[in-house]
Amino acid sequence: MHILLIFLVVSTVSSARHGYDFIQPITESTAACLKKAGISFVIPRLFTNLGHIDETGINNVKHARAAGIEEVDGYLFPCIGSKCPSAANQVKTVSEKLSAEKTHINTLWLDIERLNWPANHETNRKFIEELVAEAKALKHTVGIYSNYYNWEAIVGLDYHGQSSLPLWWAEYDGTPGFAKYKEFGGWKQPKIHQWHGTEKGSCDVSIDANYIP
């Protein structure tokens, strides 16, 4: 899908809000360009699956804030494995870095997708619960990024333990909206739909496109 088509789709849902998640570095002027283009929220990556802070993402949060974007979230891509920090320490590292940089996010999203997760559902559930518990202990609003098949593979469809949290639903169906949403994990409806994958978006930023009704 070319970016022109993305804009055409976006323009037809005028009452909705549209946002980007991305890992590309942006400057304050680029963030201002995004705001002017109608992007109302951004979600940079703050922690990588290799087990360390994403310095680029932290700077992206700061630049988005400086440009006047009010809804700035961030996502943590958990590091899974024996050489990784504990789940709690991963969240703590993000929180401390944000504080050290004198910035903040609205919501910390936990990226739960298939990459290096063990086959044991119970182990995975406990890891996610530790992530969530630490985020709450540190007074962060926390949400889950996932979809039906990732959730099924990682924790099982019978696990509803995080259904009280907002869901950022990943489904690249090319149409912003919840019409094709299939319930899982106890979530009746998502908060955000990530509806289109890596594309050149507004202001020459490589993005995933997201929608909030």
Side-chain angles (χ1 to χ4, degrees), residues 23 58 100 111 120 187:
I23 60 175
I58 297 293
D111 189 334
N120 189 300
W187 287 287

PDB file of all heavy atoms in Angstrom, residues 23 58 100 111 120 187:
ATOM      1  N   ILE A  23      10.858   3.011  15.133  1.00  0.00           N
ATOM      2  CA  ILE A  23      12.160   2.899  15.791  1.00  0.00           C
ATOM      3  C   ILE A  23      13.180   3.844  15.171  1.00  0.00           C
ATOM      4  O   ILE A  23      14.281   3.979  15.682  1.00  0.00           O
ATOM      5  CB  ILE A  23      12.680   1.445  15.753  1.00  0.00           C
ATOM      6  CG1 ILE A  23      12.832   0.949  14.318  1.00  0.00           C
ATOM      7  CG2 ILE A  23      11.757   0.526  16.538  1.00  0.00           C
ATOM      8  CD1 ILE A  23      13.463  -0.438  14.216  1.00  0.00           C
ATOM      9  N   ILE A  58      14.129   6.746  23.546  1.00  0.00           N
ATOM     10  CA  ILE A  58      14.049   7.725  24.639  1.00  0.00           C
ATOM     11  C   ILE A  58      14.150   9.141  24.074  1.00  0.00           C
ATOM     12  O   ILE A  58      13.374  10.035  24.447  1.00  0.00           O
ATOM     13  CB  ILE A  58      15.168   7.476  25.669  1.00  0.00           C
ATOM     14  CG1 ILE A  58      15.012   6.095  26.331  1.00  0.00           C
ATOM     15  CG2 ILE A  58      15.182   8.589  26.718  1.00  0.00           C
ATOM     16  CD1 ILE A  58      13.800   5.939  27.216  1.00  0.00           C
ATOM     17  N   ALA A 100      15.602   9.835  34.505  1.00  0.00           N
ATOM     18  CA  ALA A 100      16.922  10.458  34.381  1.00  0.00           C
ATOM     19  C   ALA A 100      16.953  11.486  33.252  1.00  0.00           C
ATOM     20  O   ALA A 100      17.654  12.497  33.347  1.00  0.00           O
ATOM     21  CB  ALA A 100      17.976   9.378  34.141  1.00  0.00           C
ATOM     22  N   ASP A 111       5.196  -5.432  24.618  1.00  0.00           N
ATOM     23  CA  ASP A 111       5.105  -6.062  23.298  1.00  0.00           C
ATOM     24  C   ASP A 111       5.166  -7.582  23.448  1.00  0.00           C
ATOM     25  O   ASP A 111       6.250  -8.149  23.651  1.00  0.00           O
ATOM     26  CB  ASP A 111       6.259  -5.555  22.439  1.00  0.00           C
ATOM     27  CG  ASP A 111       6.153  -5.970  20.983  1.00  0.00           C
ATOM     28  OD1 ASP A 111       5.519  -7.005  20.707  1.00  0.00           O
ATOM     29  OD2 ASP A 111       6.715  -5.271  20.121  1.00  0.00           O
ATOM     30  N   ASN A 120       6.478 -23.104  27.396  1.00  0.00           N
ATOM     31  CA  ASN A 120       5.698 -23.276  28.623  1.00  0.00           C
ATOM     32  C   ASN A 120       4.817 -22.056  28.891  1.00  0.00           C
ATOM     33  O   ASN A 120       5.315 -20.968  29.196  1.00  0.00           O
ATOM     34  CB  ASN A 120       6.654 -23.516  29.795  1.00  0.00           C
ATOM     35  CG  ASN A 120       5.920 -23.914  31.058  1.00  0.00           C
ATOM     36  OD1 ASN A 120       5.090 -23.171  31.568  1.00  0.00           O
ATOM     37  ND2 ASN A 120       6.237 -25.094  31.580  1.00  0.00           N
ATOM     38  N   TRP A 187     -10.265  -9.802  26.253  1.00  0.00           N
ATOM     39  CA  TRP A 187     -10.508  -8.440  25.762  1.00  0.00           C
ATOM     40  C   TRP A 187     -11.717  -8.426  24.827  1.00  0.00           C
ATOM     41  O   TRP A 187     -11.726  -9.088  23.789  1.00  0.00           O
ATOM     42  CB  TRP A 187      -9.293  -7.913  25.007  1.00  0.00           C
ATOM     43  CG  TRP A 187      -8.143  -7.550  25.887  1.00  0.00           C
ATOM     44  CD1 TRP A 187      -8.057  -6.464  26.718  1.00  0.00           C
ATOM     45  CD2 TRP A 187      -6.895  -8.237  26.015  1.00  0.00           C
ATOM     46  NE1 TRP A 187      -6.847  -6.445  27.346  1.00  0.00           N
ATOM     47  CE2 TRP A 187      -6.106  -7.522  26.940  1.00  0.00           C
ATOM     48  CE3 TRP A 187      -6.369  -9.395  25.434  1.00  0.00           C
ATOM     49  CZ2 TRP A 187      -4.827  -7.926  27.309  1.00  0.00           C
ATOM     50  CZ3 TRP A 187      -5.097  -9.803  25.797  1.00  0.00           C
ATOM     51  CH2 TRP A 187      -4.337  -9.069  26.721  1.00  0.00           C
TER      52      TRP A 187
END
